[in-house]
Amino acid sequence: MVLPSPSVLALRCMTRRAAVSSAKKIAAQPLPSSSYHSISARPLCAIGSSSGNVLSNKYLLPASASSSSPVTLASLSCGLSQLTLQNNHQQRPRTLSSLAEKNQSLGEPITFLTLNKLRDNPGAVKKKRRVGRGIGSSKGKTCGRGHKGQKARAGGGVHPTFEGGQTKFYKRLPKIGKMKNAKFRLELIPLNVGKVQDFVTMGRLVPERSDGVITIRDFVNAGMFPASSVKNGVKLLGDG
């Protein structure tokens, strides 16, 4: 492989710099709109690109250029600069006045309350003080617990019902209460067998059923106890 001489490399660099500077000068000069027209040309490759990426199918070239004439760097730069000016003119940023007018025409925006928008009022939650962060935090070192003792230990402290050693208040009171299964207790009316036999002998207790079975209705009709006193049933006793 033969490398070019330094003089050849310097000449190439000077030629390339001159071409780029002339293209920039031509692109900076304003040209009338009548000297440009849009033509459909062949897809051109990017200058200085080895991959051969296609730029576009339409370019703005001088009126004197034809589709058969070669496209130079100056004409291509002028066309690209003109396209940039047109795009900048079309895509102007919105001003505050235009946005305000649009909001007034649309009316007040509607907002919906969702779970991710629920917040406490400002100042409703006070930040908790972090202890053990140095003497400047007013709760450093012993963290406000003092030195040693029952209340300085982790998990330590005096029970709320402790009275200094004397008998606790709840122990000085009598034991009054119900069993744990008190809600399942059945309130039954006590009834002796002897009383039932007396009412049968007097003829006051007569069964209504044909099979001779005595029910609670028979006891109430006989006057052995009122119907309002029956809540859960009757308890039949021997000699109780």
Side-chain angles (χ1 to χ4, degrees):
M1 178 178 180
V2 180
L3 298 177
S5 61
S7 59
V8 175
L9 292 176
L11 181 61
R12 289 181 182 179
C13 293
M14 292 176 60
T15 307
R16 187 176 301 175
R17 289 177 183 177
V20 172
S21 61
S22 61
K24 289 182 179 180
K25 291 180 180 179
I26 296 174
Q29 297 176 1
L31 298 176
S33 59
S34 59
S35 62
Y36 286 90
H37 66 277
S38 177
I39 64 172
S40 297
R42 294 179 301 173
L44 299 178
C45 297
I47 299 175
S49 174
S50 60
S51 59
N53 296 328
V54 177
L55 292 179
S56 177
N57 290 333
K58 291 185 178 182
Y59 301 94
L60 292 175
L61 300 177
S64 61
S66 62
S67 59
S68 59
S69 61
V71 179
T72 62
L73 180 61
S75 60
L76 182 59
S77 301
C78 293
L80 292 178
S81 61
Q82 188 69 13
L83 286 175
T84 305
L85 293 176
Q86 290 180 0
N87 292 336
N88 294 338
H89 179 71
Q90 294 175 359
Q91 300 178 358
R92 290 183 300 176
R94 298 180 181 179
T95 59
L96 295 178
S97 59
S98 62
L99 294 177
E101 293 176 358
K102 184 177 181 180
N103 292 336
Q104 291 180 359
S105 62
L106 295 178
E108 185 179 357
I110 301 175
T111 57
F112 298 93
L113 179 62
T114 55
L115 293 178
N116 62 332
K117 295 181 181 180
L118 295 178
R119 297 289 185 276
D120 288 328
N121 294 329
V125 180
K126 185 177 179 181
K127 188 176 180 181
K128 185 179 179 181
R129 184 186 295 274
R130 300 177 66 191
V131 297
R133 297 300 187 276
I135 58 177
S137 64
S138 76
K139 287 292 183 288
K141 190 184 176 183
T142 55
C143 306
R145 293 178 176 231
H147 292 277
K148 302 182 182 179
Q150 182 181 7
K151 294 190 292 184
R153 312 301 182 186
V158 183
H159 198 272
T161 60
F162 183 68
E163 299 183 15
Q166 81 175 18
T167 306
K168 299 179 181 181
F169 178 73
Y170 73 89
K171 284 193 174 184
R172 297 196 299 265
L173 299 177
K175 294 181 179 180
I176 300 175
K178 299 180 180 180
M179 296 184 296
K180 294 182 179 179
N181 57 351
K183 60 182 179 180
F184 302 107
R185 181 179 178 182
L186 299 178
E187 297 184 6
L188 303 176
I189 300 175
L191 185 61
N192 295 337
V193 179
K195 187 177 181 180
V196 175
Q197 183 61 43
D198 293 341
F199 273 78
V200 172
T201 303
M202 290 186 295
R204 296 178 60 181
L205 183 58
V206 179
E208 293 182 356
R209 296 178 56 173
S210 59
D211 54 359
V213 177
I214 299 176
T215 61
I216 298 179
R217 182 187 295 273
D218 298 334
F219 294 146
V220 173
N221 294 336
M224 301 179 70
F225 47 79
S228 60
S229 62
V230 181
K231 294 183 179 180
N232 299 114
V234 178
K235 180 168 58 174
L236 190 61
L237 303 177
D239 295 331

